[in-house]
Amino acid sequence: MNQLASIKQKNTRSLDKLQKRLRHHTGKAIADFNMIEDGDKVMVCLSGGKDSYTMLDMLLHMQKVAPISFSIIAVNLDQKQPGFPEHVLPEYLTQLGVDFEVVEEDTYSIVIDKVPEGKTTCALCSRLRRGILYNTATRLKATKIALGHHRDDMLETLFLNMFNGGQLKSMPPKLVSDDGKQMVIRPLAYCAEQDIAVYSQHLKFPIIPCNLCGSQENLQRKVIKSMLQNWHQHFPGRIESMSKALQNVVPSHLADNAQFNFVDLKTQTIPFENGDIGFDPPELSSSDMNKFEIVAPIVITNI
């Protein structure tokens, strides 16, 4: 076997392994949260980015192998951004043989008019886009709205809400809209962004950049993303551990009276589930422990 053939074979094995991992995580998330049921019509929101392309690819595979029957319709919102390549998605989806619809709404002009120059446009743009997609789902009689948010998006949102909103809140894998009429699912909830990025490059998805908000380098989300990437580099496994924490909440060890009845908490003669043990020392992984420098204790005098 010559060198070129060997490299191609290695790349094929690597892609197969990556694809299996993404399919496994997607299938597990769908099963864990009962995201898709028999007879569902899933509206896949396709932005033209790596995440939504990967989500569509995963769901098309699930449609073939799942023990239930569900339909898929891909929906793209053309927000009339200058230079938006209108032909890319229709050509790609037609080639795939996927049922699709392009919804044209000039939210770009609204955002530019309402948001002062220099301010971020994401909040208003997101609200307008979500409202249009909800209305579209109603018109198409879609039972589920699939969004391409992944594991890293969920963690970034957790920290954004803590740092800026004072809430311990993230993106749930499955939620109902405010009016109670729409069910939103995030099939990539267990998938790592890096895996999605590499997969997208392998499959050469026709990526469409967002020129409205993608150029705003000062966004707080980008700061959080950089922080998480730094942690991933210096503390392998930390991102995975934080992701698991989203599914392992202990209300009795937080401080929300609405989630745990601290007011009526009493001692008892039998063991108390999740009771205090040794003032709750943190449980650090061996990799984290190795990163800490052992120093002599500090003695404070003249108190």
Side-chain angles (χ1 to χ4, degrees), residues 184-285:
V184 177
I185 59 174
R186 295 182 169 102
L188 301 183
Y190 291 166
C191 297
E193 181 175 21
Q194 179 59 30
D195 282 348
I196 293 170
V198 174
Y199 188 69
S200 177
Q201 291 173 355
H202 271 297
L203 267 64
K204 295 181 172 57
F205 293 136
I207 303 299
I208 301 174
C210 178
N211 296 320
L212 179 61
C213 61
S215 60
Q216 297 173 339
E217 297 296 334
N218 62 332
L219 291 179
Q220 284 297 313
R221 184 172 288 274
K222 293 184 181 293
V223 176
I224 299 297
K225 184 183 291 291
S226 177
M227 178 188 77
L228 293 177
Q229 289 173 345
N230 183 62
W231 283 354
H232 178 66
Q233 180 180 357
H234 291 92
F235 302 96
R238 176 173 288 188
I239 301 300
E240 289 77 8
S241 180
M242 288 192 296
S243 180
K244 290 179 182 178
L246 292 176
Q247 296 179 271
N248 191 21
V249 179
V250 185
S252 64
H253 281 48
L254 296 174
D256 188 344
N257 269 318
Q259 302 301 321
F260 186 82
N261 187 5
F262 290 100
V263 175
D264 296 325
L265 188 64
K266 307 292 183 183
T267 58
Q268 57 191 44
T269 58
I270 60 175
F272 185 80
E273 185 178 2
N274 290 324
D276 189 27
I277 300 177
F279 302 105
D280 302 307
E283 297 181 2
L284 300 177
S285 66

Side-chain angles (χ1 to χ4, degrees), residues 37-49:
E37 300 170 273
D38 192 52
D40 268 339
K41 182 176 184 180
V42 182
M43 188 179 94
V44 179
C45 299
L46 202 63
S47 66

Side-chain angles (χ1 to χ4, degrees), residues 74-93:
V75 170
N76 170 252
L77 175 57
D78 180 354
Q79 299 176 266
K80 297 305 175 184
Q81 294 172 319
F84 181 77
E86 299 178 356
H87 65 284
V88 172
L89 281 170
E91 289 179 0
Y92 175 75
L93 294 169

Side-chain angles (χ1 to χ4, degrees), residues 29-302:
I30 290 173
D32 283 354
F33 298 97
N34 193 30
M35 292 186 186
I36 301 176
E37 300 170 273
D38 192 52
D40 268 339
K41 182 176 184 180
V42 182
M43 188 179 94
V44 179
C45 299
L46 202 63
S47 66
K50 68 183 190 314
D51 305 330
S52 60
Y53 276 126
T54 300
M55 175 178 63
L56 176 62
D57 182 85
M58 293 293 114
L59 290 179
L60 288 174
H61 171 72
M62 296 301 163
Q63 191 181 39
K64 295 177 182 177
V65 302
I68 59 173
S69 176
F70 65 95
S71 61
I72 290 175
I73 179 168
V75 170
N76 170 252
L77 175 57
D78 180 354
Q79 299 176 266
K80 297 305 175 184
Q81 294 172 319
F84 181 77
E86 299 178 356
H87 65 284
V88 172
L89 281 170
E91 289 179 0
Y92 175 75
L93 294 169
T94 299
Q95 182 181 1
L96 284 181
V98 175
D99 189 18
F100 72 92
E101 180 171 325
V102 176
V103 180
E104 298 185 8
E105 293 284 351
D106 188 5
T107 62
Y108 177 83
S109 297
I110 297 173
V111 171
I112 295 301
D113 178 64
K114 299 295 183 182
V115 179
E117 186 176 354
K119 298 292 183 179
T120 58
T121 60
C122 292
L124 177 58
C125 182
S126 179
R127 286 199 300 272
L128 293 171
R129 185 170 63 248
R130 189 64 58 89
I132 295 168
L133 290 174
Y134 282 167
N135 290 334
T136 302
T138 299
R139 176 172 55 80
L140 295 175
K141 294 182 172 56
T143 55
K144 302 287 171 62
I145 300 174
L147 303 179
H149 299 121
H150 45 67
R151 181 197 71 183
D152 299 65
D153 286 324
M154 294 166 66
L155 288 175
E156 289 164 16
T157 301
L158 174 69
F159 283 101
L160 279 170
N161 282 323
M162 283 197 296
F163 294 166
N164 301 301
Q167 284 185 305
L168 199 59
K169 174 183 174 183
S170 181
M171 288 178 172
K174 180 181 180 181
L175 77 156
V176 175
S177 60
D178 292 346
D179 62 7
K181 297 178 181 179
Q182 305 294 345
M183 180 70 74
V184 177
I185 59 174
R186 295 182 169 102
L188 301 183
Y190 291 166
C191 297
E193 181 175 21
Q194 179 59 30
D195 282 348
I196 293 170
V198 174
Y199 188 69
S200 177
Q201 291 173 355
H202 271 297
L203 267 64
K204 295 181 172 57
F205 293 136
I207 303 299
I208 301 174
C210 178
N211 296 320
L212 179 61
C213 61
S215 60
Q216 297 173 339
E217 297 296 334
N218 62 332
L219 291 179
Q220 284 297 313
R221 184 172 288 274
K222 293 184 181 293
V223 176
I224 299 297
K225 184 183 291 291
S226 177
M227 178 188 77
L228 293 177
Q229 289 173 345
N230 183 62
W231 283 354
H232 178 66
Q233 180 180 357
H234 291 92
F235 302 96
R238 176 173 288 188
I239 301 300
E240 289 77 8
S241 180
M242 288 192 296
S243 180
K244 290 179 182 178
L246 292 176
Q247 296 179 271
N248 191 21
V249 179
V250 185
S252 64
H253 281 48
L254 296 174
D256 188 344
N257 269 318
Q259 302 301 321
F260 186 82
N261 187 5
F262 290 100
V263 175
D264 296 325
L265 188 64
K266 307 292 183 183
T267 58
Q268 57 191 44
T269 58
I270 60 175
F272 185 80
E273 185 178 2
N274 290 324
D276 189 27
I277 300 177
F279 302 105
D280 302 307
E283 297 181 2
L284 300 177
S285 66
S286 57
S287 60
D288 276 346
M289 288 294 291
N290 292 335
K291 294 293 182 177
F292 286 103
E293 181 180 359
I294 300 176
V295 296
I298 298 175
V299 179
I300 302 176
T301 59
N302 300 324

